[in-house]
Amino acid sequence: MRRYIRDRLAGATYFFTVNLAERRGNTLLVDHVDALREAFQKTRAAHPFAIDAMVVLPDHLHALWTLPQDDGDFSVRWQQIKSHFSRAVPMDERRSLSRQAKGERGIWQRRFWEHRIRDEDDFSQHVDYIHFNPVKHGLVGQVRDWPHSSFHRFVRHGKLAVDWGVGSAADDVAGEWRGAGL
């Protein structure tokens, strides 16, 4: 079995991509967004962390977290979030024989992708990527039209304009991320 080496640094900020096991045509995350929200709340109560930015799409999510100064274990947090969410939604997904043998649900991909944020510019680029993602995937025409995004919090706090990502600004944001592997 392959052993993954994770970059765990207490107090660091990380960008994550977490996918459903079956992505094509799956809308589980937005269909059960309240259960996902509750899974985050339960996990944060036991293992605190700050959610700096986040977007929930039908079949995956992107998040930017800052961990506590004395804790770098983001894996336990994702395990808890996935577990709480999995217990809250109906058991109607397809499960491989391997998952059945291990008593696992077939909701989430087993792993996730993480990137430790290096500096303010890296942070800003990932916030932009998170907020623009629903447009990139063709779910909405404008960032402000996607309800499951921290974009709305950024607007409320005066960090972004409500029309951010419209017109030439959208081309700039999309252009920065073409070929970035995200």
Side-chain angles (χ1 to χ4, degrees):
M1 177 187 236
R2 184 177 220 179
R3 222 175 135 218
Y4 287 87
I5 299 172
R6 299 276 188 190
D7 177 15
R8 291 186 177 99
L9 181 63
T13 300
Y14 290 89
F15 169 82
F16 300 98
T17 299
V18 182
N19 297 306
L20 294 178
E22 300 287 332
R23 290 190 62 184
R24 189 172 220 59
N26 198 336
T27 60
L28 189 68
L29 294 179
V30 293
D31 292 346
H32 297 280
V33 73
D34 290 333
L36 184 61
R37 187 176 290 114
E38 187 174 325
F40 269 85
Q41 290 168 346
K42 287 179 179 178
T43 301
R44 289 176 74 195
H47 305 281
F49 62 95
I51 300 173
D52 301 305
M54 186 166 159
V55 66
V56 177
L57 300 158
D59 60 359
H60 70 287
L61 64 84
H62 298 291
L64 197 57
W65 294 356
T66 299
L67 298 172
Q69 289 301 316
D70 62 345
D71 188 350
D73 193 354
F74 48 76
S75 292
V76 73
R77 290 165 170 84
W78 280 118
Q79 184 274 329
Q80 290 291 306
I81 291 165
K82 289 178 175 184
S83 178
H84 287 306
F85 180 78
S86 296
R87 285 190 296 254
V89 299
M91 188 180 233
D92 58 3
E93 75 275 4
R94 185 185 69 77
R95 295 189 311 154
S96 67
L97 291 175
S98 169
R99 286 184 187 255
Q100 289 177 35
K102 294 176 184 173
E104 294 178 358
R105 297 283 308 263
I107 295 175
W108 299 99
Q109 286 185 5
R110 286 188 175 127
R111 295 192 173 40
F112 54 85
W113 192 83
E114 99 274 346
H115 162 76
R116 184 165 45 93
I117 299 299
R118 298 179 307 272
D119 54 33
E120 286 298 319
D121 187 51
D122 194 21
F123 181 90
S124 294
Q125 287 180 0
H126 281 84
V127 168
D128 289 351
Y129 179 80
I130 286 168
H131 291 153
F132 198 74
N133 212 252
V135 176
K136 175 188 162 204
H137 285 285
L139 298 169
V140 291
Q142 296 181 17
V143 174
R144 68 178 173 219
D145 295 335
W146 188 252
H148 313 297
S149 172
S150 60
F151 171 75
H152 305 286
R153 177 173 36 112
F154 277 65
V155 170
R156 277 193 313 275
H157 293 150
K159 293 180 180 179
L160 290 174
V162 72
D163 63 347
W164 179 88
V166 176
S168 63
D171 294 335
D172 292 342
V173 173
E176 288 179 27
W177 290 99
R178 285 191 189 105
L182 298 176

